[in-house]
């Protein structure tokens, strides 16, 4: 057992494939300290949680005065939650969805307990049933990234708010 411990300390861990546009060694920016609205809900790691999160985030977009973003926000929440459920959840460990509204963006962030499983995009084969979630996120979001945590990770995406017209 001691030999395993020693080897683990000296061996370099394998480096995961990191998509150059999503994950870096430095953490992406957190939501600004000042925000207009904030919501946080934790969900059980079961498929029934995905439509609950999707409806909740869409409802927040409407309640917070941005009904035009509700559909895209729901789709982002669905894709991020599905990835957390399929690749980031552990049995009996919740995943969290945080929704934040600032002057310029609506942010959806999903945190799961599996920090060693970083998301990545890959070109899907036309016959693949899965593998398009992050491509959808990349197209819809103004920005998205992965934040490595001490335990787990957060994948977030932001929808740009429409620019205000001067009256």
């Amino acid at each position: 057992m001691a030999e395993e411990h020693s080897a683990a300390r000296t061996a370099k861990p394998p480096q995961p494939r990191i998509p150059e546009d999503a994950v870096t060694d430095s953490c992406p920016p957190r939501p600004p300290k000042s925000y207009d609205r904030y919501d946080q809900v934790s969900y059980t790691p079961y498929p029934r949680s995905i439509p609950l999160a999707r409806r909740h985030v869409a409802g927040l977009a409407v309640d917070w005065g941005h009904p035009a973003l509700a559909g895209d926000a729901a789709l982002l929440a669905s894709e991020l939650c599905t990835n957390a459920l399929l690749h980031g959840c552990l049995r009996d460990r919740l995943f969290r969805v945080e929704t934040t509204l600032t002057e310029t963006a609506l942010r959806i962030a999903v945190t799961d307990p599996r920090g060693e499983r970083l998301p990545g995009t890959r070109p899907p084969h036309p016959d693949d049933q899965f593998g398009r979630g992050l491509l959808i996120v990349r197209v819809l979001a103004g920005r998205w990234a992965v934040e490595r945590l001490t335990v787990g990770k957060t994948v977030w995406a932001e929808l740009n708010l429409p620019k205000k017209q001067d009256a």
Side-chain angles (χ1 to χ4, degrees):
M1 189 71 154
E3 282 183 48
E4 283 182 41
H5 236 290
S6 168
R9 273 188 266 140
T10 58
K12 270 187 134 179
Q15 294 298 315
R17 182 172 111 32
I18 299 173
E20 58 193 65
D21 64 340
V23 182
T24 63
D25 288 331
S26 62
C27 292
R30 296 291 294 161
K33 294 212 185 294
S34 66
Y35 45 80
D36 295 329
R37 303 287 179 104
Y38 176 81
D39 182 81
Q40 172 183 309
V41 180
S42 292
Y43 295 95
T44 56
Y46 298 108
R48 68 178 176 258
S49 296
I50 295 169
L52 295 174
R54 181 175 53 236
R55 282 191 298 271
H56 184 72
V57 168
L60 290 172
V62 171
D63 292 346
W64 293 350
H66 298 282
L69 296 180
D72 287 349
L75 185 52
L76 287 175
S78 183
E79 295 301 333
L80 295 177
C81 290
T82 298
N83 278 352
L85 186 69
L86 292 175
H87 308 294
C89 284
L90 296 170
R91 187 171 165 205
D92 299 327
R93 297 282 304 272
L94 302 176
F95 67 95
R96 181 177 63 237
V97 178
E98 295 175 272
T99 310
T100 309
L101 179 68
T102 67
E103 286 185 17
T104 59
L106 178 68
R107 175 185 283 218
I108 298 106
V110 177
T111 302
D112 67 60
R114 302 276 309 264
E116 73 279 7
R117 302 215 40 203
L118 297 175
T121 58
R122 61 178 171 75
H125 185 272
D127 295 332
D128 287 347
Q129 184 177 2
F130 300 101
R132 292 172 181 81
L134 288 178
L135 296 174
I136 292 169
V137 170
R138 178 187 263 169
V139 168
L140 287 179
R143 288 156 304 290
W144 78 279
V146 180
E147 180 178 350
R148 298 175 198 200
L149 306 173
T150 303
V151 175
K153 68 181 170 300
T154 298
V155 183
W156 58 264
E158 291 183 344
L159 293 169
N160 295 324
L161 298 182
K163 302 246 188 267
K164 295 180 182 178
Q165 298 292 327
D166 291 333

